Amino acid sequence: MATVEQMTAAVHGYVEAFEKGDADLAVALFAQDAIVEDPVGTPLKRGHDEIRAFYAASMATGAKLKLEGPIRCATDYAAFAFRVQLTLEGKLITVDVIDTFRFNNEGKVIEMRAFFGPSNMTGM
Amino acid sequence: MATVEQMTAAVHGYVEAFEKGDADLAVALFAQDAIVEDPVGTPLKRGHDEIRAFYAASMATGAKLKLEGPIRCATDYAAFAFRVQLTLEGKLITVDVIDTFRFNNEGKVIEMRAFFGPSNMTGM
């Protein structure tokens, strides 16, 4: 089972990957066969190649993440709230998001889900 | 599909049920065959009877919920961060939690999951 320390480090590593705009740093947090559902209800990204392409596109918007409140750790899950700021077609957009990460025993993320929708976006 | 307005009203109704200490108010938010996993990793509560017993016990601690940040709505899910204050054996305890609610087409909760663990509790 991943520890609270491993899960906390992964979440901070995720924020840092966006800060640096480095998709490989984000991908390194995930298991080879990980699944990403971002946002919830959209097609899954499966495995490192699809996940890298997804984060490279996300980071191309200049998206930066700011955690809000403590990371919640429940057995093999971490859940965390944050605010994203990014730029699309010259407009600064803010998105309020809650992510859940599920971890394997090696401390890698095997499932990521991002909860947000149009009601959580401002500046569009 | 449940609307953002229905999901938002359900979350506020959930907070209000704790405020009033009324387990039936909480149960009324759930579909008959709903599943509650609180916290994630513990045995599921299934259906209105088990869910009512669970909330009656929770509310007996005087638990009150304070939302933190906006409710995130993604298709048929709402995710929300909050802080709980409750009293156990004479001690005031604070717990930081993130819940996800999944809704059916009638706007009732069919699945609830609560993300928190020992690292999210203070005052124990």
Side-chain angles (χ1 to χ4, degrees):
Chain A
M1 181 83 76
T3 65
V4 167
E5 288 71 24
Q6 285 176 310
M7 295 194 283
T8 301
V11 172
H12 288 296
Y14 187 70
V15 173
E16 189 185 345
F18 277 88
E19 205 58 40
K20 295 185 174 174
D22 187 337
D24 285 325
L25 273 185
V27 171
L29 302 170
F30 289 85
Q32 286 286 347
D33 56 348
I35 290 169
V36 167
E37 187 180 6
D38 185 350
V40 164
T42 59
L44 303 180
K45 276 67 81 172
R46 294 177 187 275
H48 275 191
D49 289 350
E50 290 185 24
I51 293 172
R52 182 180 296 103
F54 172 70
Y55 284 115
S58 298
M59 291 174 181
T61 67
K64 305 298 175 198
L65 281 54
K66 187 168 179 295
L67 291 181
E68 296 188 331
I71 300 162
R72 279 70 162 178
C73 292
T75 62
D76 52 344
Y77 282 91
F80 53 103
F82 57 101
R83 173 164 280 191
V84 186
Q85 289 204 312
L86 57 90
T87 305
L88 269 186
E89 299 174 0
K91 287 188 190 174
L92 184 67
I93 293 168
T94 300
V95 192
D96 290 306
V97 184
I98 285 176
D99 275 6
T100 59
F101 283 178
R102 186 175 196 176
F103 292 84
N104 66 15
N105 289 340
E106 287 71 47
K108 296 293 185 185
V109 179
I110 51 173
E111 181 202 81
M112 179 279 219
R113 306 184 80 196
F115 296 82
F116 70 94
S119 68
N120 301 118
M121 300 178 188
T122 56
M124 302 290 285
Chain B
M1 182 82 76
T3 64
V4 167
E5 289 70 25
Q6 284 176 311
M7 297 194 282
T8 301
V11 172
H12 287 297
Y14 188 69
V15 172
E16 188 184 348
F18 277 88
E19 205 58 39
K20 295 185 173 173
D22 187 336
D24 285 326
L25 273 185
V27 171
L29 303 170
F30 289 84
Q32 285 286 348
D33 56 349
I35 291 170
V36 167
E37 186 181 7
D38 186 349
V40 164
T42 59
L44 302 181
K45 276 67 82 172
R46 293 176 185 276
H48 274 191
D49 289 350
E50 290 184 23
I51 292 172
R52 183 181 296 102
F54 171 71
Y55 284 117
S58 298
M59 291 175 181
T61 68
K64 305 297 175 199
L65 281 53
K66 187 168 179 296
L67 291 181
E68 295 187 333
I71 300 163
R72 279 70 162 178
C73 292
T75 62
D76 52 346
Y77 281 90
F80 53 104
F82 57 101
R83 173 163 279 190
V84 186
Q85 288 205 312
L86 56 90
T87 306
L88 269 186
E89 298 173 3
K91 288 188 189 172
L92 184 67
I93 293 168
T94 299
V95 192
D96 290 306
V97 184
I98 285 176
D99 275 6
T100 59
F101 284 179
R102 185 175 197 177
F103 292 84
N104 65 16
N105 289 341
E106 287 71 47
K108 296 293 185 184
V109 180
I110 51 172
E111 180 203 80
M112 179 279 218
R113 308 183 80 196
F115 296 82
F116 70 95
S119 67
N120 302 117
M121 301 179 188
T122 57
M124 301 290 285

